[in-house]
Amino acid sequence: MKRVSLKDIAKLVGASPSTVSFILNGKASQMRISDELKNKVLATAKKMGYQPNQVAVSLRTGQTKILGLLVEDISNNFFASLAKTIEEEAEEFGYKVVYSSTENNSKKGVELLRMLTQRQVDGYLITPTVGMEEDIEMLARHKKPLVLMDRYFPGIEAPYVQVDNKGAVEKGMEHLVEKGYKKIAFITIESPMIQMRQREEAYLDAIAKSSAQKKKLILKVNYSGGRETAIEQITDFLKKQQPDAVFFATNYLGILGLESIRAISLSIPKDLAVVCFDDNDIFRLHLPGITVLQQPVEAIARTAIHILMQQLGNSKVPVKKNQVQLAANLIVRQST
Amino acid sequence: MKRVSLKDIAKLVGASPSTVSFILNGKASQMRISDELKNKVLATAKKMGYQPNQVAVSLRTGQTKILGLLVEDISNNFFASLAKTIEEEAEEFGYKVVYSSTENNSKKGVELLRMLTQRQVDGYLITPTVGMEEDIEMLARHKKPLVLMDRYFPGIEAPYVQVDNKGAVEKGMEHLVEKGYKKIAFITIESPMIQMRQREEAYLDAIAKSSAQKKKLILKVNYSGGRETAIEQITDFLKKQQPDAVFFATNYLGILGLESIRAISLSIPKDLAVVCFDDNDIFRLHLPGITVLQQPVEAIARTAIHILMQQLGNSKVPVKKNQVQLAANLIVRQST
DNA sequence: CTGAAAGCGCTTACAG
DNA sequence: CTGAAAGCGCTTACAG
């Protein structure tokens, strides 16, 4: 059962492929094709279930109308929501999105990037990993339509959209200080990526400014050993340092943290207050509810698409800035 | 900055495009091309950063090496894990996966299906929604490589992989009965899809077989009103019927259920025992932990890919059956 | 051992 | 008003 092609239709109605193409692309009147022929072609195409071969169209037009989206991990709530909103927004502009997870593995990330290029995507939306710097720079240098999300490379001039990490951590720290906590720990991961650096810096600044707390208490979890060893690192740290509040720098650290806190039977917030970066069903449903800094996921997605569309010449609304930071939202629950 | 093409390389080394193509596709020795030319071509291709235009390759070969995956909702944990494993498995066979969410909206589902067809995907992996029956049948009739997942249409002869829904609910019900619960309610959604029918039937069978409980207690949540009204329906039902145990038929119902139970301050498992279909971080971290029937997500994904690969003629291991049910895993936690 | 040619299914500038 | 032709970037059967 072969697919119906333009040629098949042309043969059937006795017209040339070009005429059929014009009609099917809505250029019948522009090409002053008779209504009779037009209707005949349209009817035949419908009857035979004609669907254009997009691969051929893409090769010919040089446009695939596909955007490539690379996230860190699609099974992580934050990235899943991001992907979903991006998909919706892209659809408004007639683009489809293909997405893949880099798993924060630079080799995989680079391979995926090449794959997207080979597939001729029209634009790139990327949450870059450590080793992707060169490839991203290449894209930027070649003026490929591109937006980075969640993080970026300070040395590379490329558009990006991320949450205001510094402001977010600041807000969270202020909240803890106001509540009277005096021994606030910060649990993050080993990572040279900018978004983690910004969060850590904001914690350090807050401590430097604080009159009640002089000592910084930072744990950098080494995640390469897997869940169990990560939990061990956290419990060890909590037992040894005995903070009265803890700030988790990412949502998965927060989840690991809750397990750790449970493992050593600390009571939240009596023994230990908890704040986490990123909201999540888990934090909302947890007893007690966990205070979080919610990222403006929809706004990040929408802004990223708008910046990309501008590069593709499809902007409805012109975007002024192409390096954007959006404010996070402090949601106070019972954990603080 | 134009992309480097085969022709460019051919011109540069002074060979014909065909020769370059053979070399780049590893057929140099087969075509008895001199090592000298081969190395020159390879070096030039590398230096110029040549990457084949997959769109052209696809058009020519008729193969895109892309699989289309349609899930209900990529931001739902179950589908996200499914997608992730499918991506990994597909990679083993040299295929990429593009995925999209139908949102259980038949119109969107059908559109996405057409889009995949237009993009010439080599095979389809689909969790079908209600209105997709005709389109799926069309694919099956045209002998397109296809596997349904999680659910299927009884009237259509097509390969599928799903969890053994009946066996799973049976297991859960037996567990509750053994624990001595005598007023077990079942909370599900209005849906004609087979997987929901199977789960409900298994509940009814269990009650029919039971000596302790004669009355069936079923709530079919109408989800169209959104979260809040769904929670209202559940709380009303629980207050009115006062079951001693409740079985949630899907993970999102379970999450809504936990919110409902909290809203009316019931204590788990003292006032009410809870079992849920599908595992989830939330159920694991909840206090008390929620007893679940965990779907064998990895096995479902792997089986689906193997069945699809067999249709595509890439099977390493021949698959015997192409309509498969896999057993769920009862994980007992503190909620029962 | 290597090259010229056809063709995948479209779109579009050109000719009539 | 409509058609023939070129071409997007590849692969591969054919010729020499």
Side-chain angles (χ1 to χ4, degrees), chain A residues 1-14 20 24 39-53, chain B residues 114 117-118 138 141-142 144:
Chain A
M1 181 73 189
K2 257 189 99 273
R3 285 265 306 267
V4 195
S5 76
L6 255 192
K7 240 198 256 173
D8 298 333
I9 297 181
K11 212 174 291 173
L12 246 125
V13 303
V20 175
L24 260 21
N39 292 330
K40 198 167 153 194
V41 166
L42 255 23
T44 313
K46 188 159 185 193
K47 201 177 67 210
M48 310 207 36
Y50 172 71
Q51 291 184 200
N53 181 329
Chain B
R114 300 233 166 103
T117 304
Q118 295 187 180
M138 188 82 92
R141 216 175 29 232
H142 288 190
K144 296 283 182 193

Side-chain angles (χ1 to χ4, degrees), chain B residues 105-155:
Chain B
N105 172 337
S106 73
K107 184 146 167 284
K108 190 171 175 207
V110 168
E111 267 170 25
L112 285 169
L113 209 51
R114 300 233 166 103
M115 185 274 291
L116 292 176
T117 304
Q118 295 187 180
R119 303 279 187 214
Q120 314 287 120
V121 296
D122 290 344
Y124 301 82
L125 297 143
I126 301 172
T127 62
T129 61
V130 177
M132 291 173 72
E133 194 152 1
E134 276 180 39
D135 284 77
I136 299 282
E137 190 170 11
M138 188 82 92
L139 289 178
R141 216 175 29 232
H142 288 190
K143 305 267 180 245
K144 296 283 182 193
L146 165 72
V147 183
L148 305 181
M149 292 178 305
D150 192 48
R151 43 198 106 159
Y152 59 91
F153 297 108

Side-chain angles (χ1 to χ4, degrees), chain B residues 273-312:
Chain B
V274 173
V275 172
C276 191
F277 212 98
D278 281 0
D279 199 9
N280 197 307
D281 272 349
I282 298 181
F283 300 144
R284 196 166 44 78
L285 281 169
H286 194 269
L287 273 178
I290 305 297
T291 296
V292 297
L293 289 142
Q294 180 191 47
Q295 294 205 46
V297 187
E298 279 82 10
I300 292 176
R302 198 168 310 118
T303 309
I305 285 286
H306 284 171
I307 292 177
L308 196 61
M309 286 302 133
Q310 173 146 300
Q311 296 178 59
L312 286 166

Side-chain angles (χ1 to χ4, degrees), chain B residues 187 219 221 230-238 253 256-257 260:
Chain B
I187 298 190
L219 169 64
V221 173
I231 290 177
E232 231 169 80
Q233 292 168 58
I234 297 174
T235 50
D236 287 354
F237 174 83
L238 292 178
L253 283 172
L256 291 171
S260 310

Side-chain angles (χ1 to χ4, degrees), chain B residues 65-69 90 95-98 123 125 305 308-309 312:
Chain B
K65 291 284 177 182
I66 297 179
L67 306 178
L69 169 61
Y95 284 83
K96 295 304 306 176
V97 178
V98 313
L125 297 143
I305 285 286
L308 196 61
M309 286 302 133
L312 286 166

Side-chain angles (χ1 to χ4, degrees), chain A residues 198-211:
Chain A
Q198 291 166 330
R199 292 175 199 179
E200 188 181 332
E201 250 173 57
Y203 167 78
L204 293 175
D205 287 353
I207 297 299
K209 274 201 310 216
S210 160
S211 48

Side-chain angles (χ1 to χ4, degrees), chain B residues 68-311:
Chain B
L69 169 61
L70 249 41
V71 295
E72 180 177 321
D73 176 8
I74 195 65
S75 66
N76 175 315
N77 203 268
F78 171 69
F79 294 108
S81 309
L82 195 64
K84 201 169 161 180
T85 314
I86 283 183
E87 202 179 336
E88 285 166 16
E89 289 292 319
E91 198 177 4
E92 302 271 306
F93 292 88
Y95 284 83
K96 295 304 306 176
V97 178
V98 313
Y99 32 114
S100 274
S101 306
T102 64
E103 323 264 346
N104 256 346
N105 172 337
S106 73
K107 184 146 167 284
K108 190 171 175 207
V110 168
E111 267 170 25
L112 285 169
L113 209 51
R114 300 233 166 103
M115 185 274 291
L116 292 176
T117 304
Q118 295 187 180
R119 303 279 187 214
Q120 314 287 120
V121 296
D122 290 344
Y124 301 82
L125 297 143
I126 301 172
T127 62
T129 61
V130 177
M132 291 173 72
E133 194 152 1
E134 276 180 39
D135 284 77
I136 299 282
E137 190 170 11
M138 188 82 92
L139 289 178
R141 216 175 29 232
H142 288 190
K143 305 267 180 245
K144 296 283 182 193
L146 165 72
V147 183
L148 305 181
M149 292 178 305
D150 192 48
R151 43 198 106 159
Y152 59 91
F153 297 108
I156 298 177
E157 182 58 36
Y160 64 80
V161 185
Q162 66 166 184
V163 69
D164 175 7
N165 286 296
K166 279 200 151 180
V169 173
E170 231 166 64
K171 247 188 239 180
M173 290 298 288
E174 270 167 22
H175 168 72
L176 287 171
V177 169
E178 265 169 32
K179 286 273 185 170
Y181 296 103
K182 296 192 169 54
K183 202 172 170 188
I184 307 168
F186 190 75
I187 298 190
T188 180
I189 47 159
E190 276 298 358
S191 166
M193 291 303 288
I194 188 90
Q195 83 282 16
M196 299 316 293
R197 308 261 45 80
Q198 292 166 331
R199 292 175 199 180
E200 188 181 335
E201 250 174 56
Y203 168 77
L204 293 175
D205 288 354
I207 297 299
K209 274 202 309 218
S210 159
S211 47
Q213 178 173 355
K214 284 292 142 224
K215 205 175 146 211
K216 53 181 199 263
L217 282 174
I218 294 191
L219 169 64
K220 296 194 182 177
V221 173
N222 176 345
Y223 199 71
S224 61
R227 282 190 84 77
E228 299 309 321
T229 54
I231 290 177
E232 231 169 80
Q233 292 168 58
I234 297 174
T235 50
D236 287 354
F237 174 83
L238 292 178
K239 276 194 283 192
K240 189 161 158 222
Q241 302 294 346
Q242 308 219 333
D244 59 3
V246 59
F247 197 129
F248 292 102
T250 75
N251 62 12
Y252 55 88
L253 283 172
I255 294 168
L256 291 171
L258 292 179
E259 296 199 63
S260 310
I261 290 166
R262 181 179 311 177
I264 53 179
S265 302
L266 293 177
S267 159
I268 302 174
K270 197 163 66 65
D271 304 329
L272 184 65
V274 173
V275 172
C276 191
F277 212 98
D278 281 0
D279 199 9
N280 197 307
D281 272 349
I282 298 181
F283 300 144
R284 196 166 44 78
L285 281 169
H286 194 269
L287 273 178
I290 305 297
T291 296
V292 297
L293 289 142
Q294 180 191 47
Q295 294 205 46
V297 187
E298 279 82 10
I300 292 176
R302 198 168 310 118
T303 309
I305 285 286
H306 284 171
I307 292 177
L308 196 61
M309 286 302 133
Q310 173 146 300
Q311 296 178 59

